[in-house]
């Protein structure tokens, strides 16, 4: 294994430990949608890249769950804690060779896996929905579940492209699940990207009301 990869995996392990420690202090409120049946159905949970921590912690009750992570060093960093928290990792990119990643994810969904994915990842631009996961919902015939997150107190890494957010210890975290979105076979993908973007932004603002 490349030394840089090893280094980032070590960082990933440290991140996992930090996440586990802070998790024990958080007041987490998950507001589900009555139309979602995670026990009998699989879904594509959509969220912004800077809210990755919330989805990681709040979707861990789903038995079969998978996530797409880029093969980059940053991908290694987030893969370690996700693996340790029980997520099945698919290494790939929405930018490079997206067809291979799409096929892998569709196969997992057929086996009952729900997919969690930051729709503006892995490199942005921030708050712009990439087409890959919309295609996944269309081809895999699965609903997209947009989610919103709010932290009462958080660290925000403003120099990162996504302005990554990390909850502070003992704070309140709200995770809100929106209405399931179906992507028809004849759908205009760009229109659905815009629709999901607007819904994610709305849900983030809605989640703030519960803080």
């Amino acid at each position: 294994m490349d030394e840089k990869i090893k280094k980032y995996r070590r960082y990933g392990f440290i991140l996992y430990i930090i996440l586990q420690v802070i998790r024990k202090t958080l007041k987490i409120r998950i507001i589900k949608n009555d139309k979602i049946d995670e026990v009998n159905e699989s879904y594509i949970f959509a969220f912004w890249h800077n809210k990755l921590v919330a989805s990681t912690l709040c979707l861990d009750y789903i038995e079969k769950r998978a996530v797409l992570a880029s093969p980059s060093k940053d991908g290694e960093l987030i893969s370690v804690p996700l693996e340790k928290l029980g997520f099945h990792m698919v290494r790939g990119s929405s930018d490079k060779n997206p067809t291979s990643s799409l096929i892998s994810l569709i196969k997992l969904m057929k086996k009952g896996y729900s997919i969690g994915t930051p729709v503006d990842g892995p490199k942005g631009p921030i708050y712009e929905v990439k087409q890959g996961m919309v295609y996944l919902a269309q081809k895999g015939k699965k609903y997209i579940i947009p989610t919103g997150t709010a932290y009462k107190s958080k660290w925000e890494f403003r120099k990162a492209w996504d302005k990554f957010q990390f909850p502070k210890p003992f704070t309140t975290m709200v995770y809100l699940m929106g209405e399931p979105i179906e992507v028809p076979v004849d759908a205009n993908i760009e229109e659905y990207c815009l629709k999901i973007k607007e819904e994610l932004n709305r849900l983030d603002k809605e989640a703030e009301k519960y803080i």
Side-chain angles (χ1 to χ4, degrees):
M1 186 183 294
D2 183 272
E3 284 301 318
K4 284 187 178 180
I5 298 298
K6 288 182 180 179
K7 181 175 73 173
Y8 275 84
R9 289 193 68 83
R10 287 195 293 270
Y11 291 160
F13 181 74
I14 294 170
L15 178 60
Y16 167 71
I17 298 298
I18 294 171
L19 196 59
Q20 287 290 72
V21 171
I22 290 181
R23 179 186 201 175
K24 295 180 184 298
T25 74
L26 295 176
K27 298 174 184 177
I28 301 175
R29 183 177 181 184
I30 302 174
I31 303 171
K32 298 182 181 180
N33 189 299
D34 292 338
K35 296 179 182 178
I36 301 171
D37 179 13
E38 310 95 316
V39 176
N40 300 303
E41 297 291 339
S42 57
Y43 300 95
I44 300 168
F45 289 88
F47 48 89
W48 295 129
H49 198 278
N50 60 12
K51 303 293 177 68
L52 179 61
V53 169
S55 289
T56 299
L57 298 182
C58 294
L59 296 178
D60 71 343
Y61 70 92
I62 298 175
E63 185 177 353
K64 289 185 174 182
R65 55 195 187 277
V67 67
L68 178 67
S70 73
S72 67
K73 58 186 181 182
D74 292 337
E76 291 294 339
L77 180 65
I78 66 168
S79 288
V80 174
L82 287 170
E83 286 169 353
K84 289 187 173 294
L85 289 168
F87 286 83
H88 180 92
M89 300 304 301
V90 176
R91 303 309 298 270
S93 173
S94 57
D95 296 325
K96 298 178 181 179
N97 196 19
T99 303
S100 176
S101 302
L102 190 68
I103 291 171
S104 297
L105 292 171
I106 288 175
K107 286 180 179 178
L108 283 172
M109 287 194 301
K110 287 182 178 179
K111 294 179 181 178
Y113 279 82
S114 285
I115 309 298
T117 180
V119 290
D120 55 343
K123 297 179 180 179
I126 189 172
Y127 304 140
E128 292 296 333
V129 177
K130 300 285 186 67
Q131 294 186 358
M133 292 304 110
V134 182
Y135 275 120
L136 178 63
Q138 185 186 57
K139 301 301 181 185
K141 298 179 181 178
K142 296 294 181 180
Y143 286 98
I144 292 177
I145 309 298
T147 65
T149 298
Y151 306 113
K152 188 171 184 179
S153 182
K154 64 181 181 291
W155 288 293
E156 185 172 335
F157 299 86
R158 295 183 178 276
K159 291 185 178 180
W161 71 263
D162 62 348
K163 297 179 174 57
F164 194 80
Q165 298 177 7
F166 201 94
K168 291 185 177 181
F170 303 101
T171 197
T172 299
M173 179 174 75
V174 175
Y175 193 72
L176 182 60
M177 297 182 186
E179 292 284 315
I181 297 174
E182 182 180 12
V183 184
V185 175
D186 59 349
N188 182 309
I189 299 299
E190 290 184 1
E191 287 181 3
Y192 270 80
C193 286
L194 180 58
K195 179 178 181 178
I196 293 165
K197 173 182 176 177
E198 291 173 348
E199 186 63 3
L200 290 177
N201 289 334
R202 187 191 70 78
L203 288 168
D204 276 350
K205 291 178 181 177
E206 186 72 20
E208 294 283 351
K209 297 177 182 179
Y210 292 90
I211 293 295

